[in-house]
Amino acid sequence: MVDQVVIGVDFGTLSGRALVVRVSDGAELGTAVHEYEHAVMARSLTADQDQPLPPDWALQVPADYVSVLKNAVPQALRSAGVSAEQVIGIGTDFTACTMVPTTSDGTPLNELPQYADRPHAYTKLWRHHAAQAQADRINTLAHERAEPWISRYGGFISSEWEFAKALQILEEDPEVYQAMDHWVEAADWIVWQLTDNYVRNACSAGYKGILQDGQYPSESFLRSLNPDFADFVSSKLDHEIGQLGHAAGTLSARAAQWTGLPEGIAVAVGNVDAHVTAPAADAVEDGQMVAIMGTSTCHVMNSSVLAEVPGMCGVVDGGILEGRWGYEAGQSGVGDILAWYVNHQVPGEYAQRAQERGLSLHELLTELAAEQAPGAHGLVALDWHSGNRSVLVDHELSGLLIGQTLSTTPEEIYRALIEATAFGTRTIIEAFNASGVEVREFVAAGGLLRNPVLMQIYADVIGLPISTIRSAQGPALGSAIHAAAAAGAYPDVRAAAAVMGGRIREAYTPNPHAQRIYDELFAEYTALHDYFGRGGNNVMRRLKALRRNSFAPAGQDLDQDPDQDAGHDAGERAAQEGAAS
């Protein structure tokens, strides 16, 4: 009997990866990566004559995603040494919330000549944070009106999500907004390209699209934000919802030609990279928090309990596994922070030392940082270089480092930044525990697993043993697991995960001595976290306002009174957190 295989395609921030997986046991047979031609457009619209972009923008070109299907999928098949006829299904995952404005037939607006030079016609990547002002207004109005859905998101809607980004388009380029027939998660857009069938996945719709108990925010709520936004849900967002692990349709003739796969095989409902990783680690039961640690970190877990966790990204019925409440939290910057530091702050002599030894700068700094005892550098940092997703949900915040002296070394700062990201994760875990959603097992996945020093620091900081996913391709494997369920090879995702997924239990355990020192440092981190993040000093917001205004036309002030908004938000946050506790 010929082995059946499935394909998982993971669309990341800079590239897409295809993975061929054997259905019977989860063996990974072959893989291929294809990089996006236009990568991330953060400073200029390189897809159209290098047009400058304002601060906090992050755009992509949807055609780059189709190139992954055309290149990585056939290459992965060749790498695996299997025939296309053995493939019974394909599943995909995407970074969320990555949004594509399209026409009624799914054509991205940037592909229309009249909009090729309009930044708002392009895909807004998850880390597009230029809609913070719109997010602030959504949050303020939701609390003023006591909207019931706001508590399902820890009290705050992020600038990364569907409504804030769409409202930004309406208010900054109404012509593009009017031309947009569908506001589509890239996770659903790529499935649309594969099947010729548009289905919104339950995960993205719930976490990023404010779909709770079958309803989106009301028309009256949207009208209060902006009269022209009143029909946003009915005219541009609402669509059929597909459950995770189900089939969204079958592979079209066009997509079969792109990929070299058989026409008519099952295509799984789209999903989010973090959420598909939980089944890949076989960690879908209550109390198992899965952290997908890469450029950013997303924390997901299932529970039979519905609770309100301050600052969580959301709790969604069936958001990770059908029949369970799926929770999400996250950190906007982790690996990105370390990469920024290495690329922009480390002296050239370190690069020379690394080159002489055949190491990367990250490897050299990690090696040097490992020689330091906890607390020996005298530093503490805040991990907000890309804003704060959980638990403050505020992308106006920024990074901070305290304790530097004239003898501070690059490796000491590097270690302090690693520790700061670990403190951010501990803050999230403690918020869940305090809310009655107990974290009993911490399961790590993602690219940062390759750094054992970082992983041990995390174990020491959070005070929990850390299990690690077996696969180096967690999201792609998770998508393949969903493909197997969608194709009917297993009755559901849980059953498929038990066979095809897996983890190494307690790969890292806390060092008691280091844990005690990190308890002291965490207290200092928390004091800084609350002072700068909860309204004690709004200098971070004021500095961002000054930066934005420097890009404004002469005489135009983009931020009339950022301190006033921040104070209102801080008071609101304090009231909610007091109520939650």
Side-chain angles (χ1 to χ4, degrees):
M1 179 178 174
V2 177
D3 286 327
Q4 293 181 326
V5 300
V6 285
I7 293 179
V9 187
D10 169 39
F11 291 86
T13 298
L14 296 174
S15 64
R17 175 181 299 276
L19 179 69
V20 181
V21 181
R22 191 161 57 207
V23 172
S24 61
D25 59 2
E28 299 175 15
L29 305 179
T31 188
V33 176
H34 183 74
E35 295 185 358
Y36 304 147
E37 178 185 349
H38 299 91
V40 178
M41 297 180 290
R43 293 185 178 273
S44 60
L45 190 65
T46 55
D48 186 80
Q49 301 180 351
D50 215 19
Q51 178 185 158
L53 293 171
D56 300 322
W57 279 60
L59 304 179
Q60 291 194 313
V61 177
D64 290 349
Y65 311 145
V66 175
S67 292
V68 172
L69 299 177
K70 293 178 177 178
N71 291 277
V73 172
Q75 289 171 19
L77 276 177
R78 290 193 293 270
S79 170
V82 301
S83 67
E85 288 68 32
Q86 292 174 251
V87 181
I88 63 171
I90 182 171
T92 58
D93 67 84
F94 238 99
T95 59
C97 172
T98 296
M99 301 302 301
V100 188
T102 78
T103 63
S104 59
D105 65 358
T107 302
L109 292 188
N110 71 283
E111 294 182 5
L112 302 180
Q114 64 267 40
Y115 300 118
D117 62 347
R118 308 278 275 273
H120 280 297
Y122 287 79
T123 296
K124 285 183 168 56
L125 184 61
W126 63 269
R127 71 184 192 199
H128 176 92
H129 292 149
Q132 184 63 51
Q134 286 78 13
D136 287 344
R137 284 163 49 206
I138 291 171
N139 288 325
T140 298
L141 182 63
H143 288 292
E144 287 176 352
R145 292 170 52 113
E147 294 287 341
W149 44 263
I150 192 69
S151 62
R152 295 278 180 94
Y153 301 97
F156 310 108
I157 298 302
S158 171
S159 66
E160 297 178 358
W161 297 358
E162 295 180 12
F163 280 72
K165 286 175 173 173
L167 185 57
Q168 185 196 11
I169 296 179
L170 169 63
E171 296 180 339
E172 296 183 7
D173 195 337
E175 185 179 348
V176 166
Y177 181 84
Q178 292 304 323
M180 178 176 71
D181 293 311
H182 294 294
W183 185 227
V184 188
E185 283 275 355
D188 301 325
W189 184 81
I190 203 67
V191 171
W192 194 352
Q193 306 312 297
L194 288 167
T195 64
D196 292 333
N197 187 33
Y198 176 28
V199 176
R200 269 174 69 75
N201 75 84
C203 180
S204 297
Y207 290 107
K208 313 303 178 186
I210 321 182
L211 179 64
Q212 290 288 346
D213 301 324
Q215 295 184 324
Y216 294 98
S218 68
E219 188 171 304
S220 65
F221 177 83
L222 301 179
R223 183 179 293 107
S224 296
L225 288 170
N226 186 312
D228 294 329
F229 203 51
D231 66 345
F232 167 66
V233 168
S234 60
S235 67
K236 303 184 187 297
L237 187 68
D238 195 14
H239 211 78
E240 173 191 354
I241 301 295
Q243 298 303 311
L244 305 184
H246 292 203
T250 59
L251 195 69
S252 69
R254 179 183 65 163
Q257 187 175 20
W258 288 345
T259 59
L261 300 178
E263 182 181 352
I265 64 171
V267 178
V269 167
N271 212 326
V272 177
D273 51 2
H275 302 72
V276 296
T277 304
D282 189 23
V284 294
E285 304 303 327
D286 286 21
Q288 295 178 310
M289 176 175 278
V290 181
I292 300 82
M293 303 169 63
T295 55
S296 62
T297 293
C298 191
H299 309 75
V300 298
M301 63 186 297
N302 285 300
S303 179
S304 54
V305 174
L306 174 62
E308 296 177 4
V309 181
M312 66 180 172
C313 297
V315 54
V316 174
D317 187 7
I320 302 170
L321 192 72
E322 214 175 349
R324 292 288 181 93
W325 291 101
Y327 288 84
E328 178 190 342
Q331 294 166 267
S332 296
V334 180
D336 266 355
I337 297 174
L338 302 178
W340 161 80
Y341 180 69
V342 165
N343 292 337
H344 298 288
Q345 303 294 317
V346 179
E349 64 183 87
Y350 277 72
Q352 184 176 348
R353 289 168 59 186
Q355 185 176 19
E356 289 171 354
R357 296 184 53 199
L359 301 174
S360 71
L361 260 177
H362 284 284
E363 289 170 332
L364 175 64
L365 289 169
T366 297
E367 180 183 287
L368 296 172
E371 298 172 0
Q372 305 166 34
H377 51 48
L379 302 169
V380 64
L382 291 177
D383 52 320
W384 299 344
H385 298 64
S386 192
N388 180 283
R389 185 181 299 162
S390 297
V391 296
L392 299 172
V393 197
D394 189 349
H395 292 289
E396 291 292 275
L397 300 175
S398 50
L400 180 73
L401 180 67
I402 286 183
Q404 294 176 94
T405 70
L406 294 178
S407 62
T408 298
T409 64
E411 57 266 32
E412 290 175 335
I413 296 175
Y414 191 77
R415 181 173 180 122
L417 292 173
I418 292 175
E419 292 166 349
T421 67
F423 293 145
T425 285
R426 177 168 169 177
T427 300
I428 291 168
I429 292 172
E430 292 194 355
F432 273 80
N433 287 336
S435 302
V437 185
E438 185 181 0
V439 179
R440 295 190 290 271
E441 182 181 6
F442 190 85
V443 184
L448 292 183
L449 281 182
R450 294 191 293 269
N451 188 327
V453 174
L454 179 147
M455 295 309 305
Q456 184 60 52
I457 288 173
Y458 266 67
D460 295 339
V461 167
I462 68 176
L464 285 172
I466 296 179
S467 303
T468 57
I469 189 172
R470 287 179 182 165
S471 175
Q473 314 297 339
L477 174 59
S479 288
I481 288 171
H482 281 74
Y490 292 93
D492 54 33
V493 171
R494 176 186 270 112
V499 177
M500 299 174 69
R503 68 191 184 282
I504 301 169
R505 297 171 186 262
E506 299 193 7
Y508 297 90
T509 56
N511 176 299
H513 174 69
Q515 190 177 343
R516 286 193 295 273
I517 295 172
Y518 280 130
D519 284 345
E520 294 183 40
L521 279 174
F522 180 66
E524 301 295 346
Y525 171 92
T526 300
L528 292 171
H529 174 282
D530 292 349
Y531 179 65
F532 288 103
R534 301 191 192 276
N537 189 327
N538 294 314
V539 60
M540 294 177 178
R541 277 179 168 267
R542 293 193 296 271
L543 290 174
K544 284 214 170 183
L546 284 170
R547 181 168 187 255
R548 273 192 294 270
N549 286 332
S550 72
F551 285 82
Q556 181 181 349
D557 190 351
L558 297 181
D559 289 276
Q560 297 296 331
D561 192 353
D563 212 20
Q564 180 180 352
D565 290 342
H568 176 78
D569 292 345
E572 193 172 84
R573 293 171 197 277
Q576 292 160 40
E577 285 148 9
S581 62

